[in-house]
Amino acid sequence: MPEPVGVRSEYLLDAGRSHTIHDALRPVLSEIRSLLDATTALVAYRPAAPGADLLVLAADAPELAEPPLPNETFRTGVPAVRRAAVLADLDFVSTLRPYRFRLRSAVVVPWRDAYGDGLIVVGHSEERPRLPAPAADLVRRLRGDVRRGMVAGRRDGAGEINRGLQRVMKDIAAATVDCEDVGEALTTLLVSAKWLFDSEVAYFSLPIDDAGTFTFDQMLGIRTPDFRHLRMGEGQGLGGLARSLRSPVRSLNYGRDSRLFAAPVTETAQEGIVSAMAAPVFVDDQVQAVLYVGDRALRPFSETDGEVFGEFAEYATLGLKRQATEAYRRAVLRRQEQERLAYDLHDTAVRGLLEIGFAAERARAVDQGTPDVQAGLDTIASAAERCMEALRGQLDLLVAGTSGRSADTVLEEIAEASVRPEVRHRYVTDASDGLLPDPVADALVRIGQEALVNVDVHAAGGAAEVSLRVTPDEWVLSIVDDGSGRPARATPTDDTRAHIGLLAMQRAADRVLGRLERFDRPGGGHIVRVVVPKSGGR
């Protein structure tokens, strides 16, 4: 097989969207397992590197509740064997997670190639009579099918990697021509990275000052405010390690990665990120950004993933200019300072206006005074709400100032309102890559935040699913309380807040000609849904 262009021919070429080795080996393993009436069949591989763990490249184990993941590394008691053998009580202990399985009786057939040593392992996970010796000969005869599958998988994987790299290289080259808009170029870099590695999240950080502190800027798929507002010092976390080494780094299980210094483990766990990679982006030999991709489930990024990620990050350096990048960095810091001021204002002025409105509503509910007093309280409550809405609008302009937001951005803004971020609310988008007009986005964010806070306050312990669906004719936002929470004891203040909150949601829907619906969920819980027609929501 010829060497792949731009990618070193490795023991494994499953990167990003490519699972070609796993897919090529599964049919062969399934056939071998069926022939031996076994419960588990797998192909393992130990790269020719000092201290390398055993990789499981593919497994066929329909009876295991949790089969090994492609590229997952294991410590195992399998002895070194030079020929096919039948062995007993083989333990496989994952190095990435608290997971293990045992084969009571297994056939082990070895082979070797230029990159390391491979094993075919077929056996029973429960007590059965020991596999007969002829079983080893049968697996040995099928060893050629496994090796041919490996070769085909490597070839197909190399092709997929190169096609993906060529596509993103064209996109990045087009975005960095003359580099007049660094923000747009970095956005393209982020979108391309998320696509290339089929990852759940992608984001990057920029330096704040010469001391080496970096702040996160553009983000795709990130939802929790604590993570969004992190500032990472010299050598800190995964990005700090990538900056120190000046090369890409992989963290297969972030919370258990002993290499990381002062890592923000709590914030990362709240965001749900488990596996991630980081790569430095250089401009004039200086690290001017760190690019990240990650997943919320355990994903064993391979060595080839790391190499491809490093090559991908190098594309960004070709068109970025130091002067333009520095101007963009200063603009980012100014925008973040505006956001900080806006959040401070929100915490003081908006909450103060809310308290004034609540107090007026309470007083109006219990006061039996003259009509003049009632009218005065009405005026106070209405004025507080008008001022609050106007101030929210100004703060939105201060923070956003955009002509449209993506569905992911709308859900991220809704998520920031949660008063119980430790609860794992679910956020789901079913939308194209198009932008929502700002009036529609504003209305959906306002309704979504109010409904999410209601779940946090009135269903203690319960979780919500917030979904945004975009069809050719309408935008549909749904907030579903799963009914698992403990209903909180209602107070007059809660009733008043709910009343004002409902009015605010209805007004937000009315502004974009939307339809607000509230109803009970079969089996428990509640649903808030707003439907905005595209014909009138602009």
Side-chain angles (χ1 to χ4, degrees):
M1 182 182 75
E3 291 290 312
V5 177
V7 180
R8 194 174 73 212
S9 181
E10 280 289 338
Y11 58 87
L12 181 63
L13 276 174
D14 274 348
R17 297 171 182 271
S18 170
H19 292 91
T20 56
I21 293 178
H22 174 268
D23 295 343
L25 294 178
R26 277 291 299 275
V28 182
L29 290 176
S30 179
E31 179 184 2
I32 296 173
R33 185 183 59 78
S34 298
L35 288 172
L36 296 186
D37 192 26
T39 60
T40 303
L42 59 89
V43 173
Y45 198 83
R46 193 183 305 277
D53 289 314
L54 197 69
L55 282 160
V56 170
L57 301 185
D60 183 71
E63 295 186 19
L64 286 182
E66 283 188 273
L69 300 170
N71 304 336
E72 187 169 3
T73 51
F74 286 85
R75 290 189 298 270
T76 178
V78 178
V81 291
R82 296 190 175 184
R83 56 179 60 89
V86 177
L87 304 175
D89 292 333
L90 302 182
D91 288 313
F92 291 79
V93 181
S94 174
T95 65
L96 304 183
R97 54 176 172 155
Y99 169 68
R100 64 188 300 159
F101 65 94
R102 168 176 286 189
L103 295 180
R104 295 292 188 177
S105 176
V107 171
V108 178
V109 178
W111 90 89
R112 174 172 291 182
D113 64 16
Y115 307 107
D117 298 312
L119 294 173
I120 305 170
V121 182
V122 187
H124 302 303
S125 56
E126 66 271 2
E127 290 284 0
R128 286 190 187 179
R130 186 165 176 161
L131 286 165
D137 292 332
L138 173 64
V139 177
R140 181 176 52 78
R141 290 198 299 272
L142 293 171
R143 178 172 53 188
D145 292 342
V146 171
R147 297 188 67 173
R148 282 189 291 273
M150 286 280 292
V151 171
R154 281 176 174 155
R155 182 185 60 245
D156 294 344
E160 287 197 16
I161 291 171
N162 286 315
R163 286 192 295 273
L165 283 172
Q166 288 167 8
R167 169 178 162 172
V168 298
M169 184 166 52
K170 291 178 181 177
D171 292 342
I172 294 171
T176 55
V177 170
D178 296 331
C179 195
E180 295 298 331
D181 188 340
V182 174
E184 181 179 341
L186 291 174
T187 298
T188 301
L189 186 71
L190 212 57
V191 172
S192 297
K194 191 172 185 292
W195 174 86
L196 180 64
F197 289 93
D198 198 20
S199 61
E200 292 184 76
V201 299
Y203 48 101
F204 66 81
S205 61
L206 297 169
I208 295 175
D209 49 41
D210 294 335
T213 301
F214 276 53
T215 180
F216 291 140
D217 181 32
Q218 298 186 35
M219 300 183 176
L220 297 177
I222 298 298
R223 294 163 183 152
T224 55
D226 287 347
F227 190 90
R228 295 173 69 90
H229 298 151
L230 282 171
R231 294 194 170 191
M232 309 299 292
E234 187 74 36
Q236 186 179 359
L238 191 65
L241 182 60
R243 286 153 50 197
S244 300
L245 298 177
R246 297 176 67 85
S247 65
V249 291
R250 300 167 287 147
S251 184
L252 308 184
N253 192 331
Y254 191 92
R256 299 174 59 191
D257 196 331
S258 60
R259 302 169 304 159
L260 304 184
F261 164 73
V265 173
T266 300
E267 293 85 353
T268 304
Q270 287 177 348
E271 181 59 44
I273 297 173
V274 179
S275 302
M277 293 193 295
V281 177
F282 295 93
V283 179
D284 295 341
D285 202 40
Q286 298 294 318
V287 179
Q288 290 298 320
V290 178
L291 178 67
Y292 302 78
V293 294
D295 276 2
R296 291 189 171 88
L298 184 68
R299 176 175 176 178
F301 287 112
S302 69
E303 182 177 340
T304 306
D305 285 303
E307 290 191 358
V308 173
F309 196 39
E311 183 166 350
F312 171 83
E314 288 179 7
Y315 293 154
T317 69
L318 300 178
L320 295 178
K321 297 179 181 178
R322 184 177 182 83
Q323 184 176 2
T325 305
E326 178 62 21
Y328 176 75
R329 184 183 72 85
R330 290 196 298 267
V332 167
L333 296 180
R334 283 196 301 271
R335 189 188 72 238
Q336 290 188 343
E337 183 63 17
Q338 287 179 330
E339 290 182 1
R340 187 188 64 78
L341 291 173
Y343 288 127
D344 288 347
L345 279 173
H346 185 277
D347 287 344
T348 55
V350 171
R351 291 186 180 180
L353 288 169
L354 275 171
E355 288 300 321
I356 292 171
F358 293 160
E361 289 276 356
R362 287 198 301 270
R364 185 171 55 183
V366 300
D367 186 83
Q368 303 298 323
T370 65
D372 289 343
V373 173
Q374 289 287 324
L377 292 173
D378 287 343
T379 301
I380 292 172
S382 298
E385 187 171 349
R386 285 197 307 275
C387 290
M388 183 181 65
E389 291 295 332
L391 184 55
R392 281 185 190 273
Q394 293 301 314
L395 294 180
D396 288 343
L397 287 175
L398 183 62
V399 172
T402 65
S403 59
R405 273 113 84 194
S406 69
D408 281 339
T409 300
V410 169
L411 290 188
E412 289 165 13
E413 291 184 40
I414 292 173
E416 289 186 354
S418 175
V419 297
R420 291 190 299 124
E422 72 279 1
V423 176
R424 300 297 291 275
H425 297 309
R426 236 178 124 240
Y427 303 91
V428 181
T429 59
D430 179 9
S432 64
D433 294 333
L435 299 179
L436 283 73
D438 272 340
V440 174
D442 290 340
L444 297 184
V445 168
R446 180 74 181 89
I447 294 167
Q449 288 183 340
E450 186 67 40
L452 187 62
V453 169
N454 282 341
V455 174
D456 285 342
V457 171
H458 297 295
E465 178 176 291
V466 184
S467 63
L468 178 54
R469 181 166 53 90
V470 180
T471 74
D473 301 316
E474 59 192 14
W475 297 278
V476 182
L477 176 70
S478 300
I479 302 90
V480 181
D481 165 18
D482 65 9
S484 64
R486 181 182 69 258
R489 180 178 297 175
T491 68
T493 300
D494 291 336
D495 293 339
T496 301
R497 189 198 185 286
H499 173 67
I500 293 179
L502 179 58
L503 288 176
M505 286 194 289
Q506 186 62 62
R507 288 193 180 106
D510 291 344
R511 281 196 293 269
V512 289
L513 304 182
R515 182 176 75 255
L516 183 68
E517 303 169 341
R518 299 169 64 247
F519 47 89
D520 292 334
R521 177 174 176 266
H526 306 278
I527 299 175
V528 174
R529 178 182 298 149
V530 59
V531 180
V532 180
K534 290 189 175 180
S535 58
R538 298 178 186 279

